[in-house]
Amino acid sequence: MNNLKVSILIPLYNAEEYIAETIDSCLNQTYKNIEIIIIDDGSTDSGLNIAREYEKKHTNIKVEAQKNSGAPVARNRAFALATGDYIQYIDADDLLHPDKIRLQMEVLKTADDRTLVFGRWGTFQKSIENVIWKDLPVNKNYDDPTRFLIELWTSGMAVITHLWLVPRVLVAESGGWDESLARNQDGDFFARVVIKASNIVFVKDSIGYYRKDNENSISNQISRKALQSNLKTFETYIELMKDDMEKTEVRRSLALIYSRFLYRIPPLHKDLTLECKRKMNSLGFKKPLNTLKTDERLLSYFLGTYRMFQLKKSIKSILK
Protein backbone atom coordinates (compact mmCIF):
# COMPACT_ATOMS: atom_id res chain seq x y z
CA MET A 1 0.00 0.00 0.00
CA ASN A 2 2.93 2.36 0.64
CA ASN A 3 3.64 2.23 -3.10
CA LEU A 4 0.41 4.11 -3.78
CA LYS A 5 0.91 7.83 -4.08
CA VAL A 6 -1.35 10.51 -2.62
CA SER A 7 -1.51 13.89 -4.37
CA ILE A 8 -2.33 16.80 -2.07
CA LEU A 9 -3.85 19.63 -4.12
CA ILE A 10 -3.95 23.19 -2.77
CA PRO A 11 -5.54 26.24 -4.46
CA LEU A 12 -3.81 29.36 -3.11
CA TYR A 13 -5.24 32.87 -3.09
CA ASN A 14 -4.13 35.64 -0.73
CA ALA A 15 -3.41 33.29 2.17
CA GLU A 16 0.06 34.50 3.13
CA GLU A 17 -0.89 34.33 6.81
CA TYR A 18 -1.84 30.66 6.66
CA ILE A 19 -0.16 28.86 3.74
CA ALA A 20 3.05 27.90 5.56
CA GLU A 21 1.13 26.18 8.38
CA THR A 22 -1.03 24.38 5.83
CA ILE A 23 1.97 23.14 3.85
CA ASP A 24 3.69 22.02 7.07
CA SER A 25 0.63 19.99 8.03
CA CYS A 26 0.91 18.22 4.68
CA LEU A 27 4.66 17.63 4.90
CA ASN A 28 4.21 16.25 8.42
CA GLN A 29 1.95 13.42 7.27
CA THR A 30 3.05 10.04 8.60
CA TYR A 31 2.12 8.57 5.23
CA LYS A 32 5.16 9.61 3.24
CA ASN A 33 4.43 8.74 -0.39
CA ILE A 34 2.88 12.10 -1.17
CA GLU A 35 3.25 14.96 -3.60
CA ILE A 36 1.99 18.48 -2.97
CA ILE A 37 0.76 20.60 -5.86
CA ILE A 38 -0.02 24.25 -5.20
CA ILE A 39 -1.76 26.44 -7.79
CA ASP A 40 -1.64 30.15 -7.01
CA ASP A 41 -4.78 31.85 -8.30
CA GLY A 42 -3.39 35.34 -8.95
CA SER A 43 -2.57 36.24 -5.34
CA THR A 44 -1.69 39.86 -4.63
CA ASP A 45 0.09 39.10 -1.35
CA SER A 46 3.28 37.15 -0.64
CA GLY A 47 1.59 33.74 -0.49
CA LEU A 48 3.07 32.62 -3.82
CA ASN A 49 6.58 33.57 -2.71
CA ILE A 50 6.16 31.55 0.48
CA ALA A 51 5.02 28.53 -1.53
CA ARG A 52 7.99 28.95 -3.91
CA GLU A 53 10.38 28.82 -0.97
CA TYR A 54 8.92 25.47 0.07
CA GLU A 55 9.24 24.24 -3.52
CA LYS A 56 12.97 25.01 -3.47
CA LYS A 57 13.47 22.89 -0.36
CA HIS A 58 11.23 19.89 -1.14
CA THR A 59 11.38 17.80 -4.30
CA ASN A 60 7.82 16.57 -3.82
CA ILE A 61 6.30 20.07 -3.97
CA LYS A 62 5.29 21.68 -7.25
CA VAL A 63 4.04 25.27 -7.47
CA GLU A 64 2.39 26.88 -10.46
CA ALA A 65 0.74 30.28 -10.89
CA GLN A 66 -2.29 31.26 -12.97
CA LYS A 67 -4.24 34.47 -13.48
CA ASN A 68 -7.10 34.88 -11.05
CA SER A 69 -9.72 32.40 -12.27
CA GLY A 70 -11.22 30.92 -9.12
CA ALA A 71 -10.50 27.93 -6.89
CA PRO A 72 -12.27 25.37 -9.12
CA VAL A 73 -9.98 26.25 -12.03
CA ALA A 74 -6.96 25.95 -9.73
CA ARG A 75 -8.11 22.57 -8.42
CA ASN A 76 -8.72 21.24 -11.92
CA ARG A 77 -5.27 22.42 -13.00
CA ALA A 78 -3.70 20.78 -9.95
CA PHE A 79 -5.45 17.51 -10.75
CA ALA A 80 -4.14 17.67 -14.33
CA LEU A 81 -0.61 17.86 -12.91
CA ALA A 82 -1.17 15.21 -10.22
CA THR A 83 0.31 11.73 -10.55
CA GLY A 84 -1.17 10.19 -7.40
CA ASP A 85 -3.47 7.19 -7.08
CA TYR A 86 -5.51 9.06 -4.48
CA ILE A 87 -6.38 12.75 -4.25
CA GLN A 88 -6.35 14.86 -1.10
CA TYR A 89 -7.88 18.33 -1.54
CA ILE A 90 -7.22 21.02 1.04
CA ASP A 91 -7.68 24.79 1.08
CA ALA A 92 -4.73 27.07 1.79
CA ASP A 93 -5.85 27.94 5.32
CA ASP A 94 -6.92 24.53 6.66
CA LEU A 95 -4.90 21.81 8.40
CA LEU A 96 -4.51 18.02 8.45
CA HIS A 97 -3.73 15.91 11.50
CA PRO A 98 -0.36 14.13 10.93
CA ASP A 99 -2.08 10.71 10.75
CA LYS A 100 -4.98 11.81 8.55
CA ILE A 101 -3.85 10.22 5.30
CA ARG A 102 -2.12 7.19 6.85
CA LEU A 103 -5.23 6.08 8.72
CA GLN A 104 -7.37 6.40 5.63
CA MET A 105 -4.87 4.53 3.47
CA GLU A 106 -4.85 1.72 6.05
CA VAL A 107 -8.59 1.31 5.49
CA LEU A 108 -8.13 1.36 1.73
CA LYS A 109 -5.75 -1.63 1.89
CA THR A 110 -8.72 -3.99 1.91
CA ALA A 111 -11.09 -1.87 -0.18
CA ASP A 112 -11.82 -1.73 -3.89
CA ASP A 113 -10.56 1.17 -6.00
CA ARG A 114 -13.93 2.95 -5.91
CA THR A 115 -14.15 3.17 -2.10
CA LEU A 116 -14.41 6.70 -0.75
CA VAL A 117 -13.20 7.52 2.77
CA PHE A 118 -13.71 10.54 5.01
CA GLY A 119 -12.86 11.55 8.55
CA ARG A 120 -13.87 13.74 11.47
CA TRP A 121 -13.50 17.51 11.60
CA GLY A 122 -13.50 20.48 13.92
CA THR A 123 -13.42 24.26 13.55
CA PHE A 124 -10.76 26.50 15.05
CA GLN A 125 -9.63 30.09 15.23
CA LYS A 126 -5.94 30.99 15.46
CA SER A 127 -4.91 27.64 16.96
CA ILE A 128 -6.15 24.03 16.83
CA GLU A 129 -5.84 24.02 20.61
CA ASN A 130 -9.23 25.74 20.50
CA VAL A 131 -10.89 23.23 18.20
CA ILE A 132 -14.65 22.68 18.36
CA TRP A 133 -15.56 19.22 17.10
CA LYS A 134 -18.44 18.58 14.73
CA ASP A 135 -20.36 15.35 15.21
CA LEU A 136 -22.26 14.58 12.02
CA PRO A 137 -25.12 12.06 11.76
CA VAL A 138 -23.41 10.71 8.63
CA ASN A 139 -20.26 9.75 10.52
CA LYS A 140 -20.65 6.06 9.71
CA ASN A 141 -20.13 3.61 6.86
CA TYR A 142 -22.43 3.43 3.83
CA ASP A 143 -22.86 0.63 1.32
CA ASP A 144 -25.27 2.90 -0.60
CA PRO A 145 -23.82 6.32 -1.58
CA THR A 146 -27.33 7.61 -2.34
CA ARG A 147 -28.31 7.00 1.29
CA PHE A 148 -25.29 9.05 2.40
CA LEU A 149 -26.42 12.04 0.32
CA ILE A 150 -30.01 11.83 1.55
CA GLU A 151 -28.95 11.77 5.19
CA LEU A 152 -26.36 14.53 4.69
CA TRP A 153 -28.82 16.88 3.00
CA THR A 154 -31.49 16.13 5.56
CA SER A 155 -29.09 17.00 8.40
CA GLY A 156 -28.18 20.38 6.90
CA MET A 157 -24.53 19.73 7.76
CA ALA A 158 -21.44 19.24 5.60
CA VAL A 159 -18.42 17.01 5.18
CA ILE A 160 -15.73 19.57 4.46
CA THR A 161 -13.33 19.30 1.53
CA HIS A 162 -10.17 18.06 3.21
CA LEU A 163 -11.83 15.24 5.16
CA TRP A 164 -12.08 13.16 2.00
CA LEU A 165 -9.49 10.93 0.36
CA VAL A 166 -10.64 10.28 -3.20
CA PRO A 167 -9.60 7.55 -5.66
CA ARG A 168 -8.26 9.17 -8.80
CA VAL A 169 -10.78 7.33 -10.97
CA LEU A 170 -13.71 8.95 -9.14
CA VAL A 171 -12.33 12.45 -9.70
CA ALA A 172 -11.89 11.72 -13.40
CA GLU A 173 -15.39 10.26 -13.78
CA SER A 174 -17.01 13.13 -11.85
CA GLY A 175 -15.97 15.63 -14.51
CA GLY A 176 -13.95 17.70 -12.06
CA TRP A 177 -14.84 20.94 -10.30
CA ASP A 178 -17.48 23.16 -11.91
CA GLU A 179 -15.50 26.27 -12.88
CA SER A 180 -18.63 28.41 -13.24
CA LEU A 181 -19.47 28.26 -9.54
CA ALA A 182 -18.74 30.99 -7.01
CA ARG A 183 -20.12 29.13 -3.99
CA ASN A 184 -20.91 25.59 -2.77
CA GLN A 185 -18.26 24.30 -5.16
CA ASP A 186 -17.34 21.51 -2.75
CA GLY A 187 -20.94 20.46 -2.18
CA ASP A 188 -21.45 20.16 -5.92
CA PHE A 189 -18.16 18.35 -6.61
CA PHE A 190 -18.33 15.82 -3.80
CA ALA A 191 -21.99 15.00 -4.50
CA ARG A 192 -20.92 14.00 -8.02
CA VAL A 193 -17.98 12.04 -6.62
CA VAL A 194 -20.05 10.28 -3.95
CA ILE A 195 -22.62 9.06 -6.44
CA LYS A 196 -19.83 7.34 -8.41
CA ALA A 197 -18.42 5.50 -5.37
CA SER A 198 -19.04 1.84 -4.59
CA ASN A 199 -19.21 2.52 -0.85
CA ILE A 200 -18.19 5.09 1.75
CA VAL A 201 -16.12 4.48 4.90
CA PHE A 202 -15.89 6.79 7.91
CA VAL A 203 -12.47 6.77 9.61
CA LYS A 204 -13.09 8.20 13.08
CA ASP A 205 -9.50 9.05 14.04
CA SER A 206 -8.67 10.63 10.68
CA ILE A 207 -8.94 14.34 11.41
CA GLY A 208 -9.08 17.65 9.55
CA TYR A 209 -9.17 21.17 10.99
CA TYR A 210 -11.28 23.93 9.41
CA ARG A 211 -10.22 27.53 9.98
CA LYS A 212 -12.97 30.01 10.89
CA ASP A 213 -10.97 33.25 11.20
CA ASN A 214 -10.12 33.82 7.53
CA GLU A 215 -12.17 36.79 6.33
CA ASN A 216 -11.24 36.04 2.70
CA SER A 217 -12.97 32.65 2.80
CA ILE A 218 -15.41 32.08 -0.05
CA SER A 219 -17.95 30.81 2.49
CA ASN A 220 -18.35 34.43 3.63
CA GLN A 221 -19.71 35.56 0.26
CA ILE A 222 -23.34 36.61 -0.11
CA SER A 223 -23.30 38.29 -3.54
CA ARG A 224 -25.99 37.61 -6.11
CA LYS A 225 -23.49 35.54 -8.08
CA ALA A 226 -22.85 33.41 -4.99
CA LEU A 227 -26.57 32.94 -4.40
CA GLN A 228 -27.11 31.91 -8.03
CA SER A 229 -24.24 29.44 -7.75
CA ASN A 230 -25.92 27.82 -4.78
CA LEU A 231 -29.13 27.39 -6.75
CA LYS A 232 -27.21 25.89 -9.66
CA THR A 233 -25.65 23.28 -7.37
CA PHE A 234 -29.11 22.35 -6.06
CA GLU A 235 -30.08 21.59 -9.66
CA THR A 236 -27.13 19.20 -9.79
CA TYR A 237 -28.42 17.45 -6.67
CA ILE A 238 -31.83 16.98 -8.28
CA GLU A 239 -30.23 15.56 -11.42
CA LEU A 240 -28.18 13.10 -9.37
CA MET A 241 -31.37 11.88 -7.69
CA LYS A 242 -33.58 11.75 -10.77
CA ASP A 243 -33.96 7.97 -10.61
CA ASP A 244 -35.17 8.10 -7.00
CA MET A 245 -37.52 11.08 -7.12
CA GLU A 246 -40.55 8.91 -6.44
CA LYS A 247 -39.25 8.44 -2.89
CA THR A 248 -40.65 10.94 -0.40
CA GLU A 249 -37.45 11.00 1.67
CA VAL A 250 -35.43 11.99 -1.39
CA ARG A 251 -37.77 14.86 -2.29
CA ARG A 252 -37.92 15.96 1.33
CA SER A 253 -34.11 16.06 1.66
CA LEU A 254 -33.96 18.29 -1.42
CA ALA A 255 -36.83 20.48 -0.20
CA LEU A 256 -34.95 20.98 3.08
CA ILE A 257 -31.96 22.29 1.12
CA TYR A 258 -34.15 24.89 -0.60
CA SER A 259 -35.92 25.75 2.67
CA ARG A 260 -32.69 26.47 4.52
CA PHE A 261 -31.36 28.48 1.61
CA LEU A 262 -34.59 30.48 1.29
CA TYR A 263 -34.11 31.91 4.79
CA ARG A 264 -30.73 33.33 3.75
CA ILE A 265 -31.73 35.20 0.59
CA PRO A 266 -31.66 38.98 1.12
CA PRO A 267 -35.06 40.69 0.54
CA LEU A 268 -33.85 42.50 -2.60
CA HIS A 269 -33.48 39.21 -4.50
CA LYS A 270 -37.18 38.43 -4.76
CA ASP A 271 -36.75 36.52 -8.01
CA LEU A 272 -34.42 34.04 -6.30
CA THR A 273 -36.92 33.65 -3.48
CA LEU A 274 -39.64 32.84 -6.01
CA GLU A 275 -37.35 30.38 -7.77
CA CYS A 276 -36.74 28.56 -4.46
CA LYS A 277 -40.46 28.35 -3.79
CA ARG A 278 -41.17 27.01 -7.30
CA LYS A 279 -38.57 24.30 -6.80
CA MET A 280 -40.10 23.27 -3.49
CA ASN A 281 -43.52 23.11 -5.16
CA SER A 282 -42.10 20.89 -7.90
CA LEU A 283 -40.77 18.58 -5.17
CA GLY A 284 -44.26 18.31 -3.70
CA PHE A 285 -44.02 20.85 -0.88
CA LYS A 286 -46.30 23.89 -0.99
CA LYS A 287 -44.43 25.87 1.64
CA PRO A 288 -40.92 25.89 3.15
CA LEU A 289 -40.13 23.20 5.68
CA ASN A 290 -39.42 24.48 9.17
CA THR A 291 -35.65 24.31 9.72
CA LEU A 292 -35.33 26.94 12.45
CA LYS A 293 -34.81 26.44 16.17
CA THR A 294 -37.26 27.97 18.66
CA ASP A 295 -35.09 31.04 19.41
CA GLU A 296 -34.52 31.59 15.69
CA ARG A 297 -38.26 31.45 14.97
CA LEU A 298 -38.89 34.16 17.59
CA LEU A 299 -36.16 36.42 16.19
CA SER A 300 -37.42 35.80 12.69
CA TYR A 301 -40.94 36.84 13.68
CA PHE A 302 -39.76 40.26 14.87
CA LEU A 303 -36.84 40.95 12.49
CA GLY A 304 -37.47 38.93 9.37
CA THR A 305 -35.48 35.77 8.71
CA TYR A 306 -32.64 37.24 6.65
CA ARG A 307 -32.02 40.10 9.13
CA MET A 308 -32.12 37.58 11.97
CA PHE A 309 -29.30 35.56 10.40
CA GLN A 310 -27.30 38.75 9.74
CA LEU A 311 -27.71 39.82 13.38
CA LYS A 312 -26.50 36.43 14.65
CA LYS A 313 -23.53 36.61 12.27
CA SER A 314 -22.62 40.09 13.56
CA ILE A 315 -22.83 38.93 17.17
CA LYS A 316 -20.51 35.99 16.43
CA SER A 317 -18.05 38.38 14.75
CA ILE A 318 -18.02 40.67 17.80
CA LEU A 319 -17.43 37.74 20.16
CA LYS A 320 -14.39 36.38 18.24
Side-chain angles (χ1 to χ4, degrees):
M1 199 66 184
N2 290 335
N3 292 328
L4 295 178
K5 183 188 290 186
V6 174
S7 297
I8 303 176
L9 311 185
I10 308 175
L12 170 61
Y13 178 72
N14 286 355
E16 62 180 2
E17 186 178 349
Y18 314 113
I19 186 59
E21 190 177 8
T22 296
I23 295 174
D24 286 338
S25 82
C26 296
L27 289 172
N28 291 335
Q29 289 299 297
T30 54
Y31 187 87
K32 294 303 182 183
N33 193 5
I34 63 171
E35 65 177 0
I36 302 170
I37 299 176
I38 302 167
I39 306 296
D40 183 79
D41 187 40
S43 293
T44 57
D45 64 5
S46 63
L48 175 58
N49 293 334
I50 294 170
R52 292 284 194 203
E53 288 301 311
Y54 274 91
E55 183 182 33
K56 292 176 183 177
K57 298 174 183 176
H58 300 274
T59 58
N60 63 339
I61 295 181
K62 181 177 179 61
V63 179
E64 190 174 284
Q66 66 181 29
K67 65 179 182 180
N68 183 243
S69 305
V73 176
R75 293 187 183 107
N76 286 340
R77 176 55 183 162
F79 179 68
L81 297 172
T83 61
D85 303 283
Y86 289 88
I87 306 299
Q88 167 72 63
Y89 292 100
I90 182 170
D91 290 339
D93 56 350
D94 295 327
L95 303 174
L96 301 176
H97 185 278
D99 293 326
K100 193 271 184 188
I101 292 175
R102 180 184 62 79
L103 291 171
Q104 292 182 335
M105 291 298 286
E106 285 290 330
V107 169
L108 291 169
K109 280 183 179 180
T110 56
D112 65 46
D113 62 1
R114 303 184 71 84
T115 294
L116 193 58
V117 293
F118 73 102
R120 189 162 57 101
W121 67 289
T123 62
F124 75 100
Q125 296 186 32
K126 307 302 181 185
S127 169
I128 60 172
E129 293 179 2
N130 306 315
V131 66
I132 299 174
W133 298 107
K134 301 290 183 179
D135 292 318
L136 278 61
V138 295
N139 284 356
K140 54 188 177 182
N141 299 342
Y142 288 85
D143 292 326
D144 179 6
T146 299
R147 169 59 50 186
F148 171 87
L149 290 176
I150 293 169
E151 294 186 10
L152 181 68
W153 296 337
T154 298
S155 75
M157 302 183 79
V159 176
I160 57 174
T161 299
H162 57 290
L163 294 191
W164 297 101
L165 190 59
V166 189
R168 184 183 189 89
V169 64
L170 296 186
V171 178
E173 290 182 6
S174 74
W177 294 74
D178 187 336
E179 297 179 0
S180 71
L181 297 177
R183 195 168 183 178
N184 199 30
Q185 307 149 344
D186 52 346
D188 172 90
F189 172 73
F190 283 106
R192 289 184 282 109
V193 167
V194 164
I195 213 72
K196 299 283 187 182
S198 60
N199 64 302
I200 302 169
V201 178
F202 171 62
V203 185
K204 180 180 179 181
D205 294 325
S206 179
I207 294 170
Y209 304 96
Y210 179 80
R211 188 182 298 276
K212 294 284 286 185
D213 56 332
N214 183 358
E215 295 181 357
N216 294 323
S217 172
I218 193 170
S219 62
N220 294 325
Q221 292 184 15
I222 199 168
S223 66
R224 181 177 177 84
K225 182 179 179 182
L227 294 169
Q228 289 173 317
S229 285
N230 265 306
L231 288 172
K232 182 179 178 182
T233 64
F234 302 162
E235 291 286 347
T236 297
Y237 298 166
I238 291 175
E239 177 64 20
L240 292 175
M241 291 293 177
K242 64 182 179 181
D243 294 334
D244 294 298
M245 293 301 285
E246 77 283 356
K247 299 177 182 177
T248 301
E249 64 174 349
V250 171
R251 289 184 281 106
R252 185 176 183 276
S253 70
L254 293 164
L256 279 166
I257 292 172
Y258 281 104
S259 295
R260 294 186 187 96
F261 183 65
L262 180 65
Y263 293 138
R264 288 164 172 78
I265 301 176
L268 64 100
H269 298 301
K270 293 182 179 179
D271 58 324
L272 300 184
T273 297
L274 289 173
E275 183 178 344
C276 260
K277 291 180 177 179
R278 283 195 296 268
K279 287 297 182 183
M280 282 184 283
N281 286 338
S282 71
L283 292 166
F285 297 87
K286 295 183 178 180
K287 59 182 180 180
L289 302 178
N290 185 13
T291 63
L292 301 179
K293 299 174 183 177
T294 302
D295 62 331
E296 291 175 335
R297 287 201 296 272
L298 290 172
L299 277 173
S300 177
Y301 178 81
F302 290 107
L303 299 176
T305 309
Y306 171 74
R307 290 186 178 87
M308 179 268 292
F309 276 110
Q310 290 301 99
L311 175 62
K312 293 184 73 174
K313 185 176 179 180
S314 297
I315 291 173
K316 287 181 180 179
S317 178
I318 292 170
L319 294 176
K320 282 183 180 178

